[in-house]
Amino acid sequence: MNEPHLIVLFGATGDLARRKLLPGIMHLLQSGLVPDSRIIGVSLDDFDDESFRDFAEKAYREFNTRTVDDEQWAAFAPKLSYVNVAAGPEALASAAAALEQELGGEPRRLHYLSVPPKAALDVIHTLDQAGLVERSRIIMEKPFGTDLASAKSLNAEIHQVFDEQQIFRIDHFLGKEAALNILAFRFANGLFEPIWNRNFIDHVQIDVPETLSLDGRSGFYEGTGAFKDMVVTHLFQVLAFMAMEPPTSLDSDSISEEKNKVFRSMLPLDPKFVVRGQYQGYRDEKGVAADSETDTFVALKAEIDNWRWAGVPFYLRTGKRMAEGARIISIAFREPPKSMFPTGSGVGLAGPDHLTFDLADASRMSLSFYGKRPGPGMRLDKLSMQFAMQETERAGEVLEAYERLIYDAMRGERTLFTTAEGIERLWEISEPLLGDTPPVRPYSPGTWGPNAIHQLIAPKAWRLPFERSWRKPNTNAE
């Protein structure tokens, strides 16, 4: 990529910009992955260029995960400018014109909308009025609507200004190295792709528990809940990577089409196979109604009605204030039809063999299987082969999720982003649940959710919590 960029960051003084976006953009520039660029921060705070640079420097020194280098900061700071949103589109257009003249030629434009959902359309129209639509791409944060009607309305209004090819709907879960590792693991290895189907796989779990509370976000969460906040925009996207057919090539259009085929094949969600929960104490938080029915937890069964996956249940679970924080895909393989091992051998005690992807920052994989315990007799134990990105010599080259997604958007690479068609289809299959929501069940903070989750998956069992711990990097410990 050799085109310079003008990056316009809306919500530039918000928490996401402070923690992830500003340090991430700086790293992309300093690493040479992207060419010379200029950044305009746009927000409501009463800043000028210098005070915005001071704000960004504090964020860089507090949240940068790499070595803090004074010389690098001194080179980056002059690339930052600030426009108060109250100054209107004219001020933004003027600042953009001056910076583009510095860059020379006709630089590309990247607009990042780190703003609340209700402000997104205002930003879209501001960009239109400022004349910044041409040669541009926009990154939009979730949620992308709250039901089918609102998603269609949102997409229709955005499309009045931006073409679909210009829109990058971001899901930071898919920006992690492990998400692309799923594609590499499946389609580059002849060992696994032949068994990646209903004949060999019993069920799949996608589990994203969080220990965090809402931390002041209860006003937003009251109108959203766990299902709308996490399942449609995160877990279903991960499901598509795991379940998609081999694309004709690795270009983003081919991969997007295969993901959309998965969404088209998904059956509408049945409320009978959905468990909604709310952690005890949620209704006491500021901004939450005393009789709130908002779900802070959801577990459900999804089904894909196609040749590869017919009859294979996909169990999804996510929630706040749970026992552990994790991002796991766990694939359970079918057990042998008959066991010739004697009673007491241990076969079957630890459940089926599992292939597990950890989508957390650590980027790990594990394959569990039965093996013979050393010594006399035929006693079997569950063993595990594990791989961790930190154990490779290229561990330092991993981009953080937001860095990768910003980098891909600048290149026009859409593999890790979802489409209007995909989002609308996911809201369509969610309509039965949204029209007939089960009651929320209470659960204690620090647990794995309401007890009803065990009936949902019975006679199977949830993979989390793990029976074994992940091996620590550079050790042989189990």
Side-chain angles (χ1 to χ4, degrees):
M1 181 170 56
N2 54 16
E3 297 171 296
H5 271 71
L6 173 69
I7 302 171
V8 183
L9 175 55
F10 290 87
T13 59
D15 192 60
L16 178 62
R18 194 165 59 97
R19 291 174 176 271
K20 297 292 184 181
L21 304 183
L22 288 168
I25 290 169
M26 178 177 172
H27 174 67
L28 291 174
L29 284 168
Q30 298 288 353
S31 67
L33 284 171
V34 302
D36 194 18
S37 300
R38 297 292 183 273
I39 300 96
I40 301 177
V42 183
S43 193
L44 291 167
D45 289 271
D46 189 19
F47 284 172
D48 57 16
D49 290 354
E50 286 305 317
S51 52
F52 179 57
R53 289 166 186 167
D54 291 341
F55 170 86
E57 182 177 10
K58 290 176 183 175
Y60 167 66
R61 295 189 182 282
E62 184 175 357
F63 297 109
N64 190 34
T65 57
R66 302 173 178 89
T67 303
V68 175
D69 187 301
D70 291 340
E71 186 176 335
Q72 287 183 333
W73 171 255
F76 177 69
K79 301 179 188 296
L80 295 169
S81 301
Y82 185 80
V83 172
N84 192 310
V85 70
E90 298 80 9
L92 179 58
S94 176
L99 294 175
E100 289 186 349
Q101 189 172 6
E102 280 185 31
L103 291 170
E106 293 187 333
R108 293 210 63 91
R109 298 157 175 165
L110 180 73
H111 309 307
Y112 198 116
L113 277 60
S114 179
V115 297
K118 61 184 179 183
L121 289 176
D122 289 339
V123 172
I124 296 290
H125 294 302
T126 296
L127 289 169
D128 190 18
Q129 293 161 18
L132 295 177
V133 175
E134 188 181 357
R135 309 191 310 275
S136 72
R137 301 180 177 111
I138 64 167
I139 298 178
M140 297 191 66
E141 287 278 350
K142 68 178 179 71
F144 314 116
T146 55
D147 54 23
L148 180 58
S150 62
K152 284 185 173 181
S153 176
L154 176 64
N155 287 330
E157 190 160 351
I158 296 172
H159 289 157
Q160 292 176 11
V161 179
F162 289 95
D163 295 335
E164 178 63 22
Q165 288 298 313
Q166 294 177 279
I167 304 167
F168 291 74
R169 298 170 185 83
I170 197 168
D171 173 13
H172 70 273
F173 275 33
L174 294 186
K176 297 183 181 298
E177 195 74 24
L180 288 174
N181 227 346
I182 297 172
L183 297 184
F185 189 88
R186 284 190 58 188
F187 301 132
N189 297 297
L191 178 62
F192 287 98
E193 180 55 27
I195 61 171
W196 210 266
N197 56 60
R198 62 190 302 274
N199 296 321
F200 298 94
I201 292 177
D202 180 76
H203 68 278
V204 178
Q205 295 179 32
I206 301 175
D207 217 343
V208 187
E210 297 180 291
T211 57
L212 302 174
S213 66
L214 294 176
D215 194 24
R217 295 173 65 238
S218 54
F220 158 76
Y221 211 77
E222 266 292 89
T224 308
F227 178 79
K228 293 180 180 179
D229 183 47
M230 290 291 292
V231 177
V232 175
T233 52
H234 287 329
L235 274 65
F236 281 160
Q237 304 299 326
V238 173
L239 181 151
F241 265 85
M242 190 271 153
M244 63 188 279
E245 295 295 322
T248 54
S249 70
L250 281 181
D251 67 85
S252 54
D253 287 343
S254 299
I255 291 175
S256 292
E257 174 58 20
E258 294 306 332
K259 286 169 60 182
N260 284 341
K261 284 181 183 177
V262 173
F263 299 148
R264 290 179 212 137
S265 300
M266 290 178 68
L267 296 175
L269 298 179
D270 188 338
K272 295 196 302 290
F273 299 109
V274 178
V275 176
R276 298 170 69 239
Q278 185 184 92
Y279 66 78
Q280 293 171 332
Y282 171 76
R283 294 177 181 177
D284 298 328
E285 297 195 14
K286 185 178 179 180
V288 176
D291 58 350
S292 172
E293 287 291 302
T294 298
D295 50 283
T296 64
F297 170 96
V298 65
L300 59 87
K301 181 175 78 170
E303 295 181 278
I304 302 172
D305 191 24
N306 64 14
W307 193 274
R308 183 183 290 261
W309 297 113
V312 177
F314 287 73
Y315 297 102
L316 281 56
R317 176 173 63 168
T318 186
K320 303 288 186 183
R321 299 291 305 275
M322 297 183 69
E324 293 178 21
R327 295 162 186 168
I328 295 293
I329 303 176
S330 192
I331 299 155
F333 292 98
R334 295 191 182 278
E335 298 188 65
K338 179 175 173 60
S339 175
M340 73 287 291
F341 294 93
T343 302
S345 65
V347 170
L349 293 181
D353 299 341
H354 282 86
L355 175 64
T356 303
F357 293 90
D358 185 347
L359 300 187
D361 294 327
S363 187
R364 300 174 293 198
M365 291 186 295
S366 170
L367 179 63
S368 69
F369 54 91
Y370 285 102
K372 183 184 177 302
R373 181 185 298 179
M378 184 57 77
R379 181 72 181 176
L380 277 67
D381 291 323
K382 203 73 169 183
L383 307 176
S384 175
M385 290 193 299
Q386 299 183 6
F387 160 81
M389 182 61 69
Q390 295 96 321
E391 297 175 356
T392 73
E393 61 184 15
R394 296 187 178 274
E397 298 177 19
V398 174
L399 289 177
E400 292 191 0
Y402 282 100
E403 293 171 353
R404 173 183 294 281
L405 293 166
I406 292 170
Y407 175 62
D408 281 359
M410 293 174 81
R411 295 190 301 142
E413 170 58 58
R414 305 175 60 83
T415 298
L416 298 176
F417 298 87
T418 192
T419 64
E421 178 192 341
I423 284 294
E424 289 176 12
R425 172 56 185 165
L426 290 174
W427 284 121
E428 184 180 1
I429 67 169
S430 303
E431 283 203 300
L433 173 61
L434 299 179
D436 182 21
T437 53
V440 293
R441 302 168 184 260
Y443 65 97
S444 299
T447 64
W448 291 100
N451 289 332
I453 62 170
H454 302 297
Q455 285 76 52
L456 174 68
I457 201 171
K460 307 170 179 64
W462 290 99
R463 180 72 165 147
L464 286 176
F466 279 140
E467 307 87 21
R468 299 173 307 283
S469 61
W470 286 98
R471 185 180 66 230
K472 295 180 180 179
N474 302 318
T475 74
N476 294 320
E478 178 73 352

